Amino acid sequence: MEFRSPTVAAQQNAKAITYLTQNLKDQEAGRRAVQSLIEELGNAIEAYPDWHPILTAPPRHGSEHIGSLTQVATYDGADHTTEFVRGFVTCPYSDEGANRLVEAVRQVPGLDAYRLDQPLYADSAHPVVVVALDVQLEADGTIRSRDALAWFAQLSAAEATGAQVAETWWNIRSLILGSPHGSRSSLFVNQHTGVHMRKILEAMNASGMFGPIKETSLEMLSQKKRDAISDTLIRTAIAKWDGESESFDFEMRDETCKASLKDTWNDNHEISVRVEIGKFDLYVTGFYYPEDRRITHTDPRGKRELAEKFL
């Protein structure tokens, strides 16, 4: 389904208002405070892209992947947090803890923090607002394109030294676009920016700077095609099964497929099925119901070129 930014933004903002005000005695005052935060910080979101200054500005220890606020030591003490495009509001119950958080954030270049007088989340909470000062928003509410592209390229280049494989756009687009997102845009970046991010990633991958390309997600294929791949492999495994072996190999379209099957409840009602080719080059999992020959399954995972052989 197409990503409709205004609709998604309205839904996210409504959720944020409800979450931050439903427990307050004066809910109307709380709603006004959240609306002011949306005007200052942009739309409410679910997760930051890896390159966002909220995640990259605080000092890091080691080379671990930082993908959420809970991994950032600077934000220790944050509690009942709602995130927005430019920053977040968090509502600890400790007055002293709120002050420590403000002081810690203000030590980080590019970030600022302040306390709100209006309670949010609970009347006994002490809200703190954290802002990424360098994040400027376009008229559509997304981050200015040149900044987002620069931050993304800088982080990607820095990660090349320790990389072992190159991840495809489809594998890691949620880490690049943030959440919620569509195929090439999100509440952080518009379609123009997202398209150029994908081009930058693919150019870096093609250069070999990250190592061999690792394919996992098959979301570039339509849902109909993904369903067909899973259905083909699972039904073939069922057809080749002797009814007793828990694992066996079978040949299909010049590929050796390793199947693992099990009668889930030992009553011939539900058969769990897994089919794998290579070392995760392609794999599907699901269930087969003998009574009506019905199949349920998860999306297949693996390499596109291999997966398309089973369409």
Side-chain angles (χ1 to χ4, degrees):
M1 183 179 294
E2 182 181 352
F3 183 78
R4 300 184 182 277
S5 182
T7 301
V8 175
Q11 293 170 342
Q12 289 294 123
N13 293 340
K15 285 168 55 179
I17 291 172
T18 299
Y19 178 75
L20 291 169
T21 64
Q22 62 184 346
N23 300 319
L24 301 179
K25 291 181 181 178
D26 189 345
Q27 295 185 4
E28 183 55 36
R31 279 192 286 269
R32 290 195 298 269
V34 179
Q35 289 288 3
S36 294
L37 287 177
I38 293 171
E39 292 176 8
E40 178 188 3
L41 302 178
N43 294 311
I45 54 89
E46 293 175 1
Y48 291 104
D50 284 357
W51 48 263
H52 197 290
I54 283 289
L55 298 180
T56 61
R60 300 189 179 200
H61 303 288
S63 58
E64 68 170 326
H65 172 254
I66 301 295
S68 69
L69 301 181
T70 57
Q71 296 175 275
V72 181
T74 300
Y75 305 140
D76 283 350
D79 197 11
H80 309 300
T81 302
T82 297
E83 302 169 2
F84 302 86
V85 175
R86 292 190 65 230
F88 62 90
V89 61
T90 189
C91 308
Y93 285 113
S94 166
D95 182 68
E96 181 183 351
N99 285 333
R100 284 199 303 269
L101 177 59
V102 170
E103 292 172 6
V105 171
R106 286 181 173 174
Q107 299 300 311
V108 180
L111 299 184
D112 190 23
Y114 63 89
R115 295 186 56 172
L116 283 181
D117 293 330
Q118 167 62 42
L120 290 176
Y121 184 75
D123 290 304
S124 56
H126 302 277
V128 173
V129 179
V130 177
V131 188
L133 299 173
D134 294 335
V135 174
Q136 298 183 40
L137 303 184
E138 304 274 19
D140 62 4
T142 60
I143 297 174
R144 189 168 67 172
S145 181
R146 62 179 296 182
D147 295 332
L149 290 171
W151 291 329
F152 164 64
Q154 289 164 7
L155 180 65
S156 298
E159 291 178 338
T161 301
Q164 296 182 343
V165 295
E167 299 277 6
T168 68
W169 171 261
W170 298 97
N171 288 356
I172 60 172
R173 63 177 174 167
S174 62
L175 306 181
I176 298 172
L177 297 175
S179 294
H181 66 79
S183 61
R184 54 186 179 274
S185 64
S186 68
L187 296 181
F188 293 97
V189 299
N190 57 32
Q191 199 165 122
H192 168 84
T193 307
V195 166
H196 283 285
M197 285 180 162
R198 181 174 177 178
K199 290 180 179 178
I200 290 171
L201 178 68
E202 290 177 346
M204 287 181 165
N205 284 349
S207 74
M209 62 189 291
F210 297 114
I213 295 176
K214 174 188 175 184
E215 291 184 279
T216 302
S217 172
L218 292 171
E219 289 185 39
M220 75 289 291
L221 301 178
S222 68
Q223 187 65 59
K224 183 177 180 180
K225 289 184 176 181
R226 299 201 301 273
D227 290 345
I229 292 164
S230 292
D231 192 84
T232 296
L233 287 167
I234 290 174
R235 289 193 184 278
T236 303
I238 289 292
K240 301 285 187 180
W241 189 37
D242 62 10
E244 296 181 359
S245 302
E246 290 193 357
S247 63
F248 61 94
D249 294 346
F250 65 91
E251 297 294 322
M252 186 178 185
R253 298 177 190 176
D254 298 322
E255 298 292 342
T256 299
C257 307
K258 182 177 181 60
S260 300
L261 288 84
K262 182 179 180 181
D263 188 335
T264 309
W265 309 109
N266 294 317
D267 58 4
N268 200 39
H269 174 69
E270 178 185 87
I271 310 299
S272 62
V273 185
R274 176 185 176 94
V275 181
E276 181 179 343
I277 300 175
K279 191 175 182 180
F280 299 108
D281 290 339
L282 180 65
Y283 58 101
V284 302
T285 60
F287 296 95
Y288 174 72
Y289 300 91
E291 185 175 359
D292 56 5
R293 295 174 51 82
R294 180 169 54 92
I295 283 178
T296 62
H297 58 79
T298 59
D299 275 348
R301 307 280 286 176
K303 297 179 178 179
R304 176 177 183 172
E305 184 177 356
L306 179 57
E308 289 180 329
K309 294 178 69 174
F310 298 92
L311 288 173

